[in-house]
Protein backbone atom coordinates (compact mmCIF):
# COMPACT_ATOMS: atom_id res chain seq x y z
CA UNK A 1 0.00 0.00 0.00
CA UNK A 2 1.54 3.34 -0.93
CA UNK A 3 0.10 6.82 -0.65
CA UNK A 4 -0.54 9.16 -3.56
CA UNK A 5 2.17 11.71 -4.41
CA UNK A 6 1.60 15.14 -2.94
CA UNK A 7 3.58 18.34 -2.77
CA UNK A 8 4.67 18.58 0.89
CA UNK A 9 4.78 22.11 2.30
CA UNK A 10 6.65 23.05 5.43
CA UNK A 11 4.53 25.42 7.52
CA UNK A 12 5.82 27.52 10.43
CA UNK A 13 3.87 27.03 13.66
CA UNK A 14 2.68 30.66 13.68
CA UNK A 15 -0.86 31.98 13.18
CA UNK A 16 -0.92 31.83 9.35
CA UNK A 17 0.81 28.40 9.37
CA UNK A 18 -1.67 26.97 11.85
CA UNK A 19 -4.62 28.47 9.92
CA UNK A 20 -3.36 26.88 6.69
CA UNK A 21 -2.81 23.52 8.41
CA UNK A 22 -6.39 23.69 9.76
CA UNK A 23 -7.72 24.47 6.28
CA UNK A 24 -5.88 21.46 4.83
CA UNK A 25 -7.23 19.14 7.57
CA UNK A 26 -10.81 20.35 7.02
CA UNK A 27 -10.39 19.78 3.28
CA UNK A 28 -9.50 16.13 3.91
CA UNK A 29 -5.73 16.57 3.65
CA UNK A 30 -2.85 15.03 5.61
CA UNK A 31 -0.82 17.27 7.94
CA UNK A 32 2.07 16.20 10.14
CA UNK A 33 1.71 18.07 13.43
CA UNK A 34 3.99 18.59 16.43
CA UNK A 35 2.88 17.21 19.81
CA UNK A 36 4.81 17.08 23.08
CA UNK A 37 5.41 13.34 22.52
CA UNK A 38 6.23 12.79 18.83
CA UNK A 39 5.06 14.30 15.52
CA UNK A 40 1.67 12.93 14.46
CA UNK A 41 0.30 12.29 10.96
CA UNK A 42 -3.04 14.04 11.25
CA UNK A 43 -6.33 13.95 9.37
CA UNK A 44 -9.98 14.78 10.13
CA UNK A 45 -11.09 11.86 12.32
CA UNK A 46 -14.64 12.19 10.98
CA UNK A 47 -13.61 11.80 7.33
CA UNK A 48 -13.26 8.14 6.26
CA UNK A 49 -11.27 8.88 3.12
CA UNK A 50 -8.87 11.17 4.96
CA UNK A 51 -8.35 8.54 7.69
CA UNK A 52 -7.78 5.86 5.05
CA UNK A 53 -5.11 8.04 3.44
CA UNK A 54 -3.17 8.01 6.76
CA UNK A 55 -2.73 4.24 6.41
CA UNK A 56 -1.74 4.62 2.75
CA UNK A 57 0.92 7.24 3.54
CA UNK A 58 2.37 5.18 6.40
CA UNK A 59 2.36 2.02 4.27
CA UNK A 60 0.73 0.22 7.21
CA UNK A 61 0.14 -3.42 6.41
CA UNK A 62 -3.19 -3.39 8.22
CA UNK A 63 -5.66 -1.02 9.80
CA UNK A 64 -4.44 -0.49 13.35
CA UNK A 65 -6.71 1.73 15.44
CA UNK A 66 -5.54 5.35 15.70
CA UNK A 67 -5.42 7.91 18.51
CA UNK A 68 -7.98 10.71 18.18
CA UNK A 69 -6.71 14.09 19.41
CA UNK A 70 -8.99 16.69 20.96
CA UNK A 71 -8.60 20.25 22.26
CA UNK A 72 -10.06 19.51 25.72
CA UNK A 73 -11.86 17.05 27.98
CA UNK A 74 -15.27 18.47 27.09
CA UNK A 75 -14.73 17.64 23.40
CA UNK A 76 -13.46 14.17 24.36
CA UNK A 77 -16.62 13.46 26.35
CA UNK A 78 -18.78 13.91 23.25
CA UNK A 79 -17.07 10.89 21.65
CA UNK A 80 -16.69 8.28 24.43
CA UNK A 81 -18.02 7.15 27.80
CA UNK A 82 -15.95 8.40 30.76
CA UNK A 83 -16.26 6.48 34.03
CA UNK A 84 -14.79 7.71 37.33
CA UNK A 85 -11.36 6.22 36.55
CA UNK A 86 -11.25 8.04 33.20
CA UNK A 87 -12.42 11.30 34.83
CA UNK A 88 -9.71 11.08 37.46
CA UNK A 89 -6.92 10.41 34.96
CA UNK A 90 -8.10 13.07 32.51
CA UNK A 91 -8.37 15.65 35.30
CA UNK A 92 -4.87 14.86 36.51
CA UNK A 93 -2.95 14.33 33.25
CA UNK A 94 -4.73 16.12 30.37
CA UNK A 95 -3.46 17.94 28.49
CA UNK A 96 -0.48 15.60 28.38
CA UNK A 97 1.17 12.36 27.22
CA UNK A 98 -1.67 9.99 28.25
CA UNK A 99 -4.03 8.17 25.86
CA UNK A 100 -7.23 6.61 27.20
CA UNK A 101 -8.95 3.72 25.38
CA UNK A 102 -12.67 4.07 26.12
CA UNK A 103 -15.98 2.76 24.80
CA UNK A 104 -17.16 4.81 21.80
CA UNK A 105 -20.45 6.59 21.89
CA UNK A 106 -22.93 5.54 19.22
CA UNK A 107 -23.63 7.74 16.19
CA UNK A 108 -20.88 10.31 16.66
CA UNK A 109 -19.09 11.94 13.72
CA UNK A 110 -16.06 9.67 13.96
CA UNK A 111 -14.80 7.36 11.23
CA UNK A 112 -15.17 3.67 12.11
CA UNK A 113 -11.72 3.23 10.64
CA UNK A 114 -10.09 5.10 13.57
CA UNK A 115 -11.31 2.25 15.79
CA UNK A 116 -10.36 -0.43 13.25
CA UNK A 117 -13.72 -2.07 13.80
CA UNK A 118 -13.49 -2.13 17.63
CA UNK A 119 -16.21 -0.56 19.80
CA UNK A 120 -13.54 1.46 21.59
CA UNK A 121 -11.64 4.63 20.71
CA UNK A 122 -8.28 5.96 21.93
CA UNK A 123 -8.45 9.63 22.97
CA UNK A 124 -5.77 12.15 23.89
CA UNK A 125 -5.62 15.88 24.64
CA UNK A 126 -2.09 16.99 23.73
CA UNK A 127 -0.34 19.76 25.66
CA UNK A 128 1.84 21.14 22.84
CA UNK A 129 0.61 24.72 22.17
CA UNK A 130 0.69 24.49 18.35
CA UNK A 131 -1.20 21.17 18.45
CA UNK A 132 -3.88 22.70 20.68
CA UNK A 133 -4.14 25.79 18.46
CA UNK A 134 -4.51 23.54 15.40
CA UNK A 135 -7.19 21.41 17.10
CA UNK A 136 -9.16 24.54 17.96
CA UNK A 137 -8.74 26.06 14.48
CA UNK A 138 -9.65 22.85 12.62
CA UNK A 139 -12.82 22.44 14.71
CA UNK A 140 -12.73 18.67 14.26
CA UNK A 141 -11.06 15.81 16.14
CA UNK A 142 -7.75 14.86 14.52
CA UNK A 143 -6.75 11.21 14.10
CA UNK A 144 -2.97 10.90 14.22
CA UNK A 145 -0.55 7.99 14.51
CA UNK A 146 3.13 8.80 14.76
CA UNK A 147 4.27 10.46 11.51
CA UNK A 148 6.68 7.75 10.32
CA UNK A 149 6.41 5.03 7.71
CA UNK A 150 5.33 1.71 9.20
CA UNK A 151 8.06 0.01 11.24
CA UNK A 152 10.35 3.06 11.30
CA UNK A 153 11.52 5.14 14.25
CA UNK A 154 9.00 7.76 15.46
CA UNK A 155 9.77 11.37 14.47
CA UNK A 156 10.65 13.97 17.11
CA UNK A 157 11.57 16.74 14.65
CA UNK A 158 10.03 18.07 11.42
CA UNK A 159 13.22 16.93 9.62
CA UNK A 160 12.52 13.31 10.62
CA UNK A 161 9.02 13.59 9.15
CA UNK A 162 10.37 15.06 5.90
CA UNK A 163 12.98 12.30 5.61
CA UNK A 164 10.25 9.64 5.87
CA UNK A 165 7.11 11.17 4.35
CA UNK A 166 8.13 13.96 1.94
CA UNK A 167 5.78 13.75 -1.04
CA UNK A 168 3.20 11.69 0.88
CA UNK A 169 1.65 14.38 3.11
CA UNK A 170 0.27 17.85 2.29
CA UNK A 171 2.18 19.72 4.98
CA UNK A 172 4.44 19.48 8.00
CA UNK A 173 3.73 22.00 10.75
CA UNK A 174 7.23 22.65 12.10
CA UNK A 175 7.52 23.59 15.77
CA UNK A 176 10.98 22.24 16.48
CA UNK A 177 11.88 19.23 18.62
CA UNK A 178 9.26 17.45 20.78
CA UNK A 179 9.64 18.12 24.50
CA UNK A 180 8.99 14.53 25.66
CA UNK A 181 10.15 12.60 22.60
CA UNK A 182 8.40 9.30 23.43
CA UNK A 183 4.84 8.34 22.46
CA UNK A 184 2.02 8.67 24.97
CA UNK A 185 1.27 6.08 27.62
CA UNK A 186 -1.81 4.08 26.48
CA UNK A 187 -4.22 2.89 29.20
CA UNK A 188 -7.24 0.73 28.35
CA UNK A 189 -10.27 1.59 30.50
CA UNK A 190 -12.83 -0.07 28.21
CA UNK A 191 -13.26 -2.96 30.67
CA UNK A 192 -13.28 -3.20 34.48
CA UNK A 193 -9.62 -4.27 34.42
CA UNK A 194 -7.51 -1.21 33.63
CA UNK A 195 -4.55 -2.26 31.48
CA UNK A 196 -1.30 -0.65 30.38
CA UNK A 197 -1.29 -1.17 26.60
CA UNK A 198 1.88 0.82 25.98
CA UNK A 199 4.36 2.36 28.42
CA UNK A 200 5.12 5.92 27.31
CA UNK A 201 5.76 9.53 28.17
CA UNK A 202 3.78 9.42 31.43
CA UNK A 203 5.22 7.01 34.01
CA UNK A 204 2.86 4.06 34.66
CA UNK A 205 3.45 4.57 38.38
CA UNK A 206 1.73 7.99 38.16
CA UNK A 207 -1.37 6.36 36.66
CA UNK A 208 -1.35 3.55 39.25
CA UNK A 209 -1.16 6.08 42.07
CA UNK A 210 -4.61 7.33 41.03
CA UNK A 211 -6.52 4.23 39.86
CA UNK A 212 -4.59 1.29 41.30
CA UNK A 213 -2.55 -1.43 39.62
CA UNK A 214 -2.56 -1.77 35.84
CA UNK A 215 -2.78 -5.17 34.18
CA UNK A 216 -0.31 -5.89 31.41
CA UNK A 217 -1.79 -6.86 28.04
CA UNK A 218 -1.73 -10.47 26.90
CA UNK A 219 1.69 -11.18 25.50
CA UNK A 220 0.43 -13.33 22.58
CA UNK A 221 2.01 -11.42 19.68
CA UNK A 222 -0.64 -12.68 17.23
CA UNK A 223 -3.57 -11.36 19.25
CA UNK A 224 -2.37 -8.10 20.76
CA UNK A 225 -4.92 -6.12 22.74
CA UNK A 226 -3.22 -3.07 21.30
CA UNK A 227 -1.78 -3.55 17.82
CA UNK A 228 0.94 -1.06 18.76
CA UNK A 229 2.34 -3.86 20.89
CA UNK A 230 3.31 -5.78 17.76
CA UNK A 231 6.95 -6.65 18.22
CA UNK A 232 8.11 -5.28 14.88
CA UNK A 233 8.24 -1.56 15.40
CA UNK A 234 10.56 1.43 15.73
CA UNK A 235 13.39 -0.21 13.84
CA UNK A 236 16.46 1.61 12.55
CA UNK A 237 17.92 0.04 9.40
CA UNK A 238 21.17 -1.12 11.06
CA UNK A 239 21.20 -3.64 13.98
CA UNK A 240 20.78 -2.52 17.55
CA UNK A 241 22.58 -4.14 20.52
CA UNK A 242 21.18 -3.52 24.00
CA UNK A 243 22.72 -3.51 27.49
CA UNK A 244 26.15 -3.01 26.00
CA UNK A 245 29.01 -2.32 28.44
CA UNK A 246 31.34 -1.07 25.69
CA UNK A 247 31.30 -0.67 21.89
CA UNK A 248 32.59 -3.32 19.50
CA UNK A 249 34.74 -2.08 16.58
CA UNK A 250 32.58 -0.21 14.04
CA UNK A 251 29.68 0.31 16.42
CA UNK A 252 28.03 3.61 17.31
CA UNK A 253 27.84 3.58 21.11
CA UNK A 254 25.04 5.39 22.94
CA UNK A 255 25.79 6.03 26.60
CA UNK A 256 23.66 6.90 29.60
CA UNK A 257 25.40 9.07 32.16
CA UNK A 258 28.68 10.99 31.77
CA UNK A 259 29.80 11.27 28.14
CA UNK A 260 33.16 9.65 27.45
CA UNK A 261 35.19 9.32 24.25
CA UNK A 262 33.93 5.77 23.51
CA UNK A 263 30.44 7.14 23.05
CA UNK A 264 28.98 8.61 19.86
CA UNK A 265 26.51 10.34 22.20
CA UNK A 266 24.99 10.13 25.67
CA UNK A 267 21.21 9.87 26.14
CA UNK A 268 21.65 11.98 29.25
CA UNK A 269 25.04 13.00 30.66
CA UNK A 270 23.40 13.62 34.07
CA UNK A 271 21.56 10.27 34.04
CA UNK A 272 18.12 11.93 33.79
CA UNK A 273 15.47 9.60 32.29
CA UNK A 274 13.30 12.49 31.03
CA UNK A 275 16.22 13.91 29.06
CA UNK A 276 17.04 10.41 27.77
CA UNK A 277 13.44 9.91 26.57
CA UNK A 278 13.49 13.24 24.74
CA UNK A 279 16.74 12.37 22.94
CA UNK A 280 16.17 8.67 22.20
CA UNK A 281 14.48 8.75 18.78
CA UNK A 282 16.60 11.67 17.57
CA UNK A 283 19.80 9.73 18.36
CA UNK A 284 18.46 6.57 16.70
CA UNK A 285 17.69 8.65 13.59
CA UNK A 286 21.12 10.33 13.64
CA UNK A 287 23.12 7.15 14.16
CA UNK A 288 21.10 5.01 11.73
CA UNK A 289 23.95 5.26 9.26
CA UNK A 290 25.37 2.33 7.23
CA UNK A 291 28.85 3.68 8.02
CA UNK A 292 28.34 1.93 11.41
CA UNK A 293 28.05 -1.84 11.76
CA UNK A 294 25.38 -1.40 14.43
CA UNK A 295 24.17 0.80 17.28
CA UNK A 296 25.03 -0.32 20.84
CA UNK A 297 23.22 1.11 23.86
CA UNK A 298 24.27 1.09 27.51
CA UNK A 299 21.81 -0.35 30.09
CA UNK A 300 18.95 2.01 31.06
CA UNK A 301 17.30 1.65 34.50
CA UNK A 302 13.87 -0.07 34.35
CA UNK A 303 11.96 2.54 36.43
CA UNK A 304 9.63 5.44 35.54
CA UNK A 305 10.26 6.59 31.96
CA UNK A 306 13.06 4.02 31.75
CA UNK A 307 10.37 1.38 31.27
CA UNK A 308 9.10 3.10 28.12
CA UNK A 309 12.65 3.73 26.85
CA UNK A 310 13.58 0.04 27.29
CA UNK A 311 10.31 -1.03 25.65
CA UNK A 312 11.15 1.05 22.52
CA UNK A 313 14.75 -0.19 22.49
CA UNK A 314 13.69 -3.87 22.72
CA UNK A 315 11.21 -3.42 19.86
CA UNK A 316 13.82 -1.64 17.78
CA UNK A 317 16.32 -4.44 18.42
CA UNK A 318 13.74 -7.07 17.50
CA UNK A 319 12.49 -5.23 14.41
CA UNK A 320 14.95 -6.64 11.91
CA UNK A 321 14.50 -10.18 13.20
CA UNK A 322 10.74 -10.01 12.88
CA UNK A 323 11.09 -8.69 9.34
CA UNK A 324 13.51 -11.49 8.40
CA UNK A 325 11.17 -14.11 9.86
CA UNK A 326 8.26 -12.76 7.83
CA UNK A 327 10.43 -13.21 4.74
CA UNK A 328 11.29 -16.77 5.76
CA UNK A 329 14.90 -15.99 6.72
CA UNK A 330 16.49 -17.20 9.95
CA UNK A 331 16.60 -14.67 12.79
CA UNK A 332 20.32 -13.84 12.86
CA UNK A 333 20.31 -11.20 15.55
CA UNK A 334 18.41 -13.08 18.22
CA UNK A 335 21.50 -14.03 20.18
CA UNK A 336 22.52 -10.41 20.54
CA UNK A 337 19.31 -9.40 22.26
CA UNK A 338 19.44 -9.33 26.01
O1 LIG B 1 2.17 10.08 21.53
C1 LIG B 1 1.40 9.47 20.79
O2 LIG B 1 0.57 8.67 21.22
C2 LIG B 1 1.47 9.76 19.29
C3 LIG B 1 1.07 11.22 19.08
C4 LIG B 1 1.02 11.60 17.63
O3 LIG B 1 -0.15 11.46 19.73
N1 LIG B 1 0.65 8.88 18.53
C5 LIG B 1 0.94 7.55 18.38
O4 LIG B 1 0.03 6.87 17.60
O5 LIG B 1 1.89 7.02 18.88
P1 LIG B 1 0.29 5.37 17.05
O6 LIG B 1 -0.80 5.10 16.06
O7 LIG B 1 1.67 5.24 16.53
O8 LIG B 1 0.02 4.50 18.31
C6 LIG B 1 -1.29 4.37 18.83
C7 LIG B 1 -1.33 3.28 19.87
C8 LIG B 1 -1.10 1.95 19.23
O9 LIG B 1 -0.40 1.15 20.15
C9 LIG B 1 -2.52 1.45 19.00
O10 LIG B 1 -2.60 0.09 18.86
C10 LIG B 1 -3.20 1.96 20.26
O11 LIG B 1 -2.63 3.23 20.47
N2 LIG B 1 -4.65 2.10 20.08
C11 LIG B 1 -5.30 3.05 19.39
N3 LIG B 1 -6.63 2.85 19.42
C12 LIG B 1 -6.83 1.75 20.17
C13 LIG B 1 -7.99 1.02 20.57
N4 LIG B 1 -9.21 1.41 20.22
N5 LIG B 1 -7.81 -0.08 21.33
C14 LIG B 1 -6.56 -0.47 21.69
N6 LIG B 1 -5.43 0.18 21.34
C15 LIG B 1 -5.55 1.27 20.58
MG1 LIG C 1 3.81 4.64 15.95
Amino acid sequence: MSGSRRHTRRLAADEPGIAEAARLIRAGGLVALPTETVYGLGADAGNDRAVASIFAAKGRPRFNPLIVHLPDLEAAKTLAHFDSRAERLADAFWPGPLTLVLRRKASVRLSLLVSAGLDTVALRVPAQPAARALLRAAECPIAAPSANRSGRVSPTRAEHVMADLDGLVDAVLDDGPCAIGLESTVVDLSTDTAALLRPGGLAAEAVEALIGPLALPESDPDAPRSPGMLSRHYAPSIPLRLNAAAPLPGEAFIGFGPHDHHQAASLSPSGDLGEAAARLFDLLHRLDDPAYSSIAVMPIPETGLGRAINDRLRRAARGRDAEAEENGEPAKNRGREN
Side-chain angles (χ1 to χ4, degrees):
M1 194 162 50
S2 75
S4 55
R5 297 303 297 179
R6 301 168 190 232
H7 170 64
T8 302
R9 293 158 62 195
R10 196 147 164 172
L11 300 171
D14 52 15
E15 222 179 286
I18 287 167
E20 180 58 10
R23 192 193 64 76
L24 287 167
I25 295 263
R26 275 199 305 271
L30 282 179
V31 175
L33 60 133
T35 82
E36 71 276 31
T37 57
V38 299
Y39 275 75
L41 176 51
D44 176 357
N47 178 333
D48 281 308
R49 291 189 57 169
V51 173
S53 69
I54 292 177
F55 293 101
K58 280 186 71 90
R60 272 211 175 160
R62 63 193 118 198
F63 293 147
N64 292 341
L66 304 177
I67 296 174
V68 175
H69 299 72
L70 298 144
D72 51 43
L73 174 58
E74 196 189 332
K77 282 186 175 171
T78 65
L79 300 179
H81 298 282
F82 279 68
D83 62 12
S84 63
R85 299 170 302 177
E87 294 264 5
R88 236 173 298 155
L89 292 180
D91 279 342
F93 301 121
W94 279 359
L98 173 68
T99 295
L100 299 177
V101 174
L102 302 169
R103 283 182 305 111
R104 276 174 76 117
K105 284 190 173 167
S107 49
V108 287
R109 186 185 169 278
L110 196 58
S111 163
L112 291 173
L113 204 46
V114 299
S115 295
L118 304 169
D119 57 5
T120 56
V121 63
L123 302 180
R124 178 161 107 80
V125 175
Q128 214 273 356
R132 304 196 75 192
L134 174 59
L135 283 162
R136 279 191 296 267
E139 296 179 321
C140 63
I142 296 180
S146 52
N148 52 283
R149 291 186 58 78
S150 185
R152 306 297 298 273
V153 175
S154 292
T156 57
R157 294 173 181 270
E159 293 76 21
H160 301 160
V161 179
M162 289 301 277
D164 229 18
L165 294 173
D166 190 11
L168 294 172
V169 301
D170 295 297
V172 179
L173 188 62
D174 184 353
D175 201 19
C178 301
I180 294 175
L182 269 186
E183 297 90 341
S184 60
T185 299
V186 182
V187 175
D188 184 358
L189 297 177
S190 66
T191 70
D192 288 342
T193 312
L196 179 66
L197 298 187
R198 179 176 73 183
L202 176 68
E205 292 91 328
V207 173
E208 293 186 321
L210 285 192
I211 63 163
L214 294 170
L216 294 176
E218 306 87 88
S219 51
D220 177 358
D222 293 327
R225 194 163 161 187
S226 170
M229 300 304 286
L230 287 172
S231 57
R232 178 188 164 192
H233 221 209
Y234 311 110
S237 63
I238 62 174
L240 190 65
R241 191 167 69 88
L242 306 185
N243 297 321
L248 301 172
E251 277 186 334
F253 189 45
I254 298 180
F256 178 73
H259 189 274
D260 73 32
H261 70 278
H262 297 298
Q263 299 172 10
S266 172
L267 279 167
S268 169
S270 65
D272 178 76
L273 288 168
E275 182 182 32
R279 299 198 66 200
L280 175 68
F281 289 139
D282 189 41
L283 281 182
L284 290 180
H285 275 281
R286 269 179 37 206
L287 300 175
D288 187 6
D289 180 337
Y292 296 114
S293 57
S294 53
I295 300 170
V297 190
M298 268 171 79
I300 312 292
E302 185 74 21
T303 54
L305 291 186
R307 234 168 121 179
I309 294 171
N310 284 320
D311 171 75
R312 302 304 186 277
L313 284 171
R314 283 191 290 268
R315 285 169 204 285
R318 231 184 272 133
R320 288 164 46 94
D321 279 359
E323 198 165 358
E325 278 164 23
E326 276 167 27
N327 296 329
E329 299 159 26
K332 301 185 274 300
N333 298 326
R334 180 106 324 144
R336 284 218 294 268
E337 243 180 80
N338 46 7

